[in-house]
């Protein structure tokens, strides 16, 4: 096996279910050593047990990405356990859909804290290490809503995902030729994200996801970015169901 993924140590936030868990399973099947991190430790343990049962290597780390100290401690723990870290996948995210007129500032705060600040905290934890080792790959999960505003209802969510996309491109320009940066922009993908919405918009969101593609589709896109030669940087990948117009 020589695929540009084998033996790389990859940390995935939001790795307990859905897209994060499927990405962990897929990358482990390609020979990566996978660290999955999220708030639900029991779910993480299920993912790790599944990977190990199939001959892979994985570890579970309880993590709240909104806690900067926890993010740093998790990255340090991964390095201590596996000897290094090669790739960070900033996958943790929330998507409560609600018209801005309802002024649900708690949801706004949560999206900013998880989608945006959580991504930044992840970058802050790995970037000094990547610069010191002169290699590394940061993969940030944006969205098609980071390309076109998802309104009505998804305005603040789009704001966070536009920001993630902008941060990804700015970081790419700043850090030079040794470290790679990729922004993944999925459309409707089957994951827990669709359950972030409550209230009157919940049915609309579930209807939007009726033609969702499997989470494994995104996992394959992420693998494609990782497995490229070191001098090739896949900066953006947009993927959506063939039936999805938005």
């Amino acid at each position: 096996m020589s695929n540009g993924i084998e033996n790389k140590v990859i940390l995935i936030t939001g790795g307990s279910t859905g897209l994060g868990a499927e990405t962990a399973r897929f990358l482990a099947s390609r020979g990566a050593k996978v660290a999955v991190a999220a708030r639900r430790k029991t779910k993480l343990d299920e993912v790790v047990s599944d990977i190990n049962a199939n001959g892979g290597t994985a570890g579970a780390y309880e993590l709240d990405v909104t806690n900067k100290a926890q993010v740093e401690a998790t990255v340090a723990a991964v390095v201590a356990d596996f000897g290094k870290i090669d790739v960070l996948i900033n996958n943790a995210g929330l998507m409560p859909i609600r018209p801005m007129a309802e002024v649900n500032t708690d949801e706004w705060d949560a999206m900013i804290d998880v989608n945006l600040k959580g991504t930044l905290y992840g970058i802050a934890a790995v970037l000094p290490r990547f610069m010191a080792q002169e290699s590394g790959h940061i993969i940030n999960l944006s969205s098609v809503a980071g390309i076109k505003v998802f309104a009505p209802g998804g305005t603040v969510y789009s704001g966070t995902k536009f920001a993630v996309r902008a941060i990804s491109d700015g970081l790419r320009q700043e850090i030079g030729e040794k470290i790679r940066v990729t922004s993944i922009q999925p459309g409707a993908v089957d994951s827990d994200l669709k359950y972030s919405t409550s209230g009157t918009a919940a049915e609309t969101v579930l209807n939007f996801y009726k033609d969702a593609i499997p989470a494994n589709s995104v996992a394959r896109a992420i693998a494609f970015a990782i497995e490229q030669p070191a001098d090739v940087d896949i900066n953006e990948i947009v993927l959506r169901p063939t039936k999805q117009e938005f």
Side-chain angles (χ1 to χ4, degrees), residues 21-96:
E22 285 305 304
T23 299
R25 292 185 179 98
F26 186 74
L27 295 177
S29 75
R30 301 287 299 278
K33 299 174 181 179
V34 177
V36 287
R39 290 177 294 184
R40 294 179 288 180
K41 184 63 162 56
T42 55
K43 291 291 186 181
L44 291 171
D45 289 339
E46 290 174 11
V47 175
V48 169
S49 178
D50 187 31
I51 289 172
N52 291 338
N54 284 282
T57 302
Y61 301 82
E62 190 170 356
L63 172 64
D64 178 353
V65 298
T66 69
N67 186 314
K68 180 166 53 177
Q70 279 191 28
V71 177
E72 169 59 34
T74 297
V75 170
V78 171
V79 173
D81 292 343
F82 290 95
K84 61 174 182 172
I85 182 168
D86 298 298
V87 182
L88 168 67
I89 302 175
N90 275 314
N91 169 67
L94 296 173
M95 192 191 69

Side-chain angles (χ1 to χ4, degrees), residues 1 6 18 35 39-40 71 96 104 111 114 118 126 134 136 147 151 153 167 174 177 179 214 230 238:
M1 186 187 302
E6 185 180 13
R39 290 177 294 184
R40 294 179 288 180
V71 177
N104 192 315
M111 281 187 282
V114 174
V126 300
E134 296 189 332
I147 302 170
I167 288 164
E174 286 190 25
E177 63 184 46
I179 302 165
V238 182

